[in-house]
Amino acid sequence: MTGLSILQTAYFIPLAPLLACVLILAFRRWAGYEGVWLGLLATLYAFVHSLLIAIGLYSGNSPLPQIGLQGHFFESFVTWFSVGSFDFRLGILIDGLSSLMLVVVTLVSFLVQVYSLAYMRGHARFGRYFAYISLFTFSMLLLVVANDVLQMFIGWELVGLCSYLLIGFEFERDAAAYAGRKAFITTKTADLGFYIGLLLIFNYLGTFNIPLLHQNITSVTHPTWLLTAVPLLLFCGAMGKSAQVPFHVWLPDAMEGPTPVSALIHAATMVAAGVYLVARLFFLFEAAPLSMEVVAWVGSVTAVLAASMGVVESDIKRVLAFSTVSQLGFMMAALGCGGYEAGMFHLATHAAFKALLFLCAGSVIHAVHTNDMWKMGGLKTQMPITAATYMIATLAITGCPFLSGFFSKEEVLSAAFHHNQVIFGLLIFASFLTSFYMFRSWFLTFADLPRERERFQHANESPLLMTFPLLVLAFLSLTLGAFFKYNHNINQWISWGKPVAEVDGGNVVIGLSFAVFVLGFVGAFWVYMSKPVKYQALTAQFSGLYRVVSSRYKFDEAYLWVIGNLYHPFSRWLARVDDDVLDQKIIDGIGLGGVGLSWLSRLFDDGVVDRYLIDGQGAIVARAGRTLRRMQSGLAQSYLFWMALGLVGMFIWVSASH
C-alpha cells in the first residue's frame, strides 16, 4: 500500500474493532473459542495500520498536505445530515497527534487482550468480555480520529458506556455494580459541561469541524466571554473523564472491574480521553488565558491530592488508581502551563508504564488471590518476571534517570517551572510522593519476608500469555522516553499549526527531580524495610493527618451528604410540587375545567343547537310538507277549490296594486 492509500483507508482502524464486537456477540457460540480471536485479529490489524501511518508521518514519507494555519494533516469525511446550511460530518483527521494516540490505544488494547486470554479464561462471560473490549477500543479510536467535535462527543459518550459495562462486568457483586453506576453518573454529570460547550460552538462559531474551528479562532475576533466559556465547559467534561478534582471519586472504585480492564482504562482509553480533548482543541484554550490557568491549577492540585491518597492505600490496584489520577494531573498541569508537547509526551510514556503496573498487579492478584499488599511480601522469589517488570515500571513512573518517565516528567516540570513557581512546587512535591508510594508498593509486595505463608507458597509466576505483555511494556518503559527525546523531537511530532517553543528548566529542574526521586526511595525504604518498621509509629504520631488522607479527604462523604441532605430533599420537594401543584391543581384542574366546559357544551348543543336549530328547522319543513301534501290529494273538486282560491288571491292583489 502507498502512503496515501494507508491514510485514505484509516477509517478501517476504528471500524475493525467494531466489526469484531458485532461478530463476537452474534456468532461467539459458533466461531470457536467464543470468537475472541476476532477481537485479537481486529486490534492487531488496527495496530499495524496505525503504526504504518505513524512511520509514514514521522519519517516524512507520508503525503500530508499543508493547508493554511492548520499545519500538516489528512482529512476525509462524509456528510451525515444537514440542517439548513449546517452540515454534520463524520470523518477522520490524521496528523501527528492522532497518529501517536492511534498507536498507543491499539498497542495497549492488543496487549491487554493477549493478557486477558489467560487472566479471564474460564469466566462465564468470556466472549462477551472480549466483545466489550473491542467496543471500548472502537469508541476510543472513533474519538481519536474525529475531525469533528460532535463526532468526538459521540466517541466520548460511547467510552463512558463501555466503562460502565466493563467496570460492572462482574455485576453479581454489589461492589462492582455500584462502581459501574458511580463511574457512569460521575462522568455523565461532568459531560453536561461538554454538551453545553457544544451548543455554544454550534450557535456562535458555526462549525464543529476542527480545522475550520482552528481557522475561525485564529482569524475572527470573538467576544471574550465566549472564548473563555467554551474551553472551560469542554474542560468540565475532561475533568470527569480524566478524574480531576473534584470528579476523581469514581476512579478508585473502578478497580472493581477485571484488572486487564483497569489497565486499559488507566493507560490508553477512558482517562486519557480528557487529556486528549484538551490537546486536540488546544487552540481554544490558548485563546483564553483564564482557561489555561484553570487547567494548570486543577491539574497540579489533583496531582498532589491523589498522590497523598496513594501513600496510605493498602489495595495495590487502588494505589495504582490514585497514581493514575495524579499522573493525569501532571499532564493537565503541563497543558495548562503551555507545555502542549510535554503533556502529550507524558501521556505516551505513561500509557506504557501504567499499563505495565496494572498488568503486573493483575499477575500478583492472580497468584495470591488478594489485593491487600499487607497480605503479600517476598514475592520476588516466586514471581521474578513480574517483580522485575514492576520495578522497571516503578522506576519509570518515579522519574529514574534515562527511563521513559524521567524524560517526559522533566518536560512537564520544565513547563511548570517557566510558568508558575507555585505550580512547579506542587508538582515537585507530587513527584516526591509518587516516588514514595510506588517504592512502598514494591517493597510491600515483592520484598522482605512473606506475611502470609500459605499465599506465598501457592504463588507462581504467571503463564506466558500474561508475562509476554509485561516484557513488551517493560521494554517500552525503558526506551520510549529516550526514543522521543533523542531520535524524534516530540514537539515536531504533535504540535498543531505552529511550533511550540521548547522549554528547558535547566539544572534546577533536573536536580530537584532527581532529588525527590531519591528522597522518595530512601523514605519508603526507611519506613517499610528498615528494622524496626516505622510505619505503625508514624501512623500513630500523625494519626489526625492519616485519618484525613485515608478517608480520601471525605470527598465521598461530602458528596453523599450533599445528595442525602440537599439533593434528595430538593428532589422530594420537587416531587411534591409535581404531585400537589402541577398534577393535582394545574393538570387535574385543567382536566376538571375541561369536563365542566364539556358539560356546558353538551347542554347548549342539546338544548339550543339540536332542539331549536336542527330539530326546529326539521319540524318547520315537515309541517310545510304536510300542508303541501294536502294540495296533491288527487280529487278534482279539491283542485277546483285551490284554483278558485288562487284566482281570488290574484284579484285581491291586482285590486290592491291599483
Short mmCIF file of all heavy atoms in Angstrom, two decimals, residues 27 60 71 125 157 203 380 392 549 563 596-597 613:
data_model
loop_
_atom_site.label_atom_id
_atom_site.label_comp_id
_atom_site.label_asym_id
_atom_site.label_seq_id
_atom_site.Cartn_x
_atom_site.Cartn_y
_atom_site.Cartn_z
N PHE A 27 -21.99 -14.34 16.87
CA PHE A 27 -21.59 -15.69 16.45
C PHE A 27 -20.61 -16.38 17.40
O PHE A 27 -19.96 -17.34 17.00
CB PHE A 27 -20.95 -15.63 15.05
CG PHE A 27 -21.84 -15.01 14.01
CD1 PHE A 27 -21.55 -13.75 13.50
CD2 PHE A 27 -22.98 -15.67 13.56
CE1 PHE A 27 -22.37 -13.17 12.54
CE2 PHE A 27 -23.80 -15.11 12.60
CZ PHE A 27 -23.50 -13.85 12.09
N GLY A 60 8.60 11.42 7.28
CA GLY A 60 8.50 12.42 6.23
C GLY A 60 8.09 11.86 4.89
O GLY A 60 8.08 12.57 3.89
N GLY A 71 -1.65 23.52 9.53
CA GLY A 71 -0.48 22.66 9.54
C GLY A 71 -0.70 21.41 8.70
O GLY A 71 -1.60 21.33 7.88
N ARG A 125 -18.62 -15.32 31.13
CA ARG A 125 -18.91 -14.37 30.03
C ARG A 125 -17.61 -14.02 29.30
O ARG A 125 -17.35 -12.86 29.00
CB ARG A 125 -19.60 -13.13 30.58
CG ARG A 125 -20.99 -13.41 31.14
CD ARG A 125 -21.68 -12.15 31.60
NE ARG A 125 -21.02 -11.54 32.73
CZ ARG A 125 -21.21 -11.90 34.00
NH1 ARG A 125 -22.04 -12.89 34.29
NH2 ARG A 125 -20.58 -11.29 35.00
N GLU A 157 -19.03 9.64 24.62
CA GLU A 157 -20.13 9.01 25.35
C GLU A 157 -20.09 7.49 25.23
O GLU A 157 -20.44 6.77 26.17
CB GLU A 157 -21.47 9.54 24.83
CG GLU A 157 -21.69 11.01 25.12
CD GLU A 157 -21.59 11.32 26.61
OE1 GLU A 157 -22.26 10.66 27.41
OE2 GLU A 157 -20.81 12.22 26.97
N ASN A 203 -23.81 27.46 18.10
CA ASN A 203 -24.56 28.71 17.98
C ASN A 203 -23.69 29.89 17.56
O ASN A 203 -24.13 30.75 16.78
CB ASN A 203 -25.26 29.02 19.31
CG ASN A 203 -26.27 30.15 19.18
OD1 ASN A 203 -27.18 30.07 18.37
ND2 ASN A 203 -26.10 31.20 19.96
N LYS A 380 9.14 -11.67 45.12
CA LYS A 380 10.16 -11.58 44.07
C LYS A 380 10.80 -12.93 43.80
O LYS A 380 11.28 -13.19 42.69
CB LYS A 380 11.23 -10.56 44.47
CG LYS A 380 12.06 -10.91 45.68
CD LYS A 380 13.09 -9.83 45.95
CE LYS A 380 14.00 -10.19 47.13
NZ LYS A 380 13.25 -10.33 48.39
N ILE A 392 10.74 -2.06 36.97
CA ILE A 392 11.03 -1.20 35.82
C ILE A 392 9.96 -0.12 35.68
O ILE A 392 10.27 1.07 35.49
CB ILE A 392 11.13 -2.03 34.53
CG1 ILE A 392 12.39 -2.91 34.57
CG2 ILE A 392 11.13 -1.14 33.29
CD1 ILE A 392 12.47 -3.91 33.43
N VAL A 549 -6.34 11.69 55.26
CA VAL A 549 -5.89 11.22 53.95
C VAL A 549 -6.48 9.85 53.63
O VAL A 549 -6.92 9.60 52.50
CB VAL A 549 -4.35 11.18 53.89
CG1 VAL A 549 -3.89 10.64 52.54
CG2 VAL A 549 -3.77 12.57 54.13
N ILE A 563 -25.94 14.80 48.56
CA ILE A 563 -27.03 14.04 47.94
C ILE A 563 -28.13 13.75 48.95
O ILE A 563 -29.32 13.92 48.67
CB ILE A 563 -26.49 12.74 47.34
CG1 ILE A 563 -25.58 13.06 46.15
CG2 ILE A 563 -27.62 11.83 46.89
CD1 ILE A 563 -24.84 11.86 45.60
N GLY A 596 -66.06 20.41 32.90
CA GLY A 596 -67.16 21.36 33.08
C GLY A 596 -67.55 22.03 31.77
O GLY A 596 -68.75 22.16 31.47
N LEU A 597 -66.55 22.45 31.02
CA LEU A 597 -66.86 23.08 29.73
C LEU A 597 -67.54 22.10 28.79
O LEU A 597 -68.44 22.48 28.02
CB LEU A 597 -65.57 23.61 29.11
CG LEU A 597 -64.94 24.84 29.78
CD1 LEU A 597 -63.59 25.16 29.13
CD2 LEU A 597 -65.87 26.05 29.69
N LEU A 613 -82.43 24.74 16.62
CA LEU A 613 -81.87 24.98 15.30
C LEU A 613 -82.04 23.76 14.40
O LEU A 613 -82.67 23.84 13.34
CB LEU A 613 -80.40 25.36 15.41
CG LEU A 613 -80.12 26.67 16.16
CD1 LEU A 613 -78.62 26.95 16.20
CD2 LEU A 613 -80.85 27.84 15.50
#
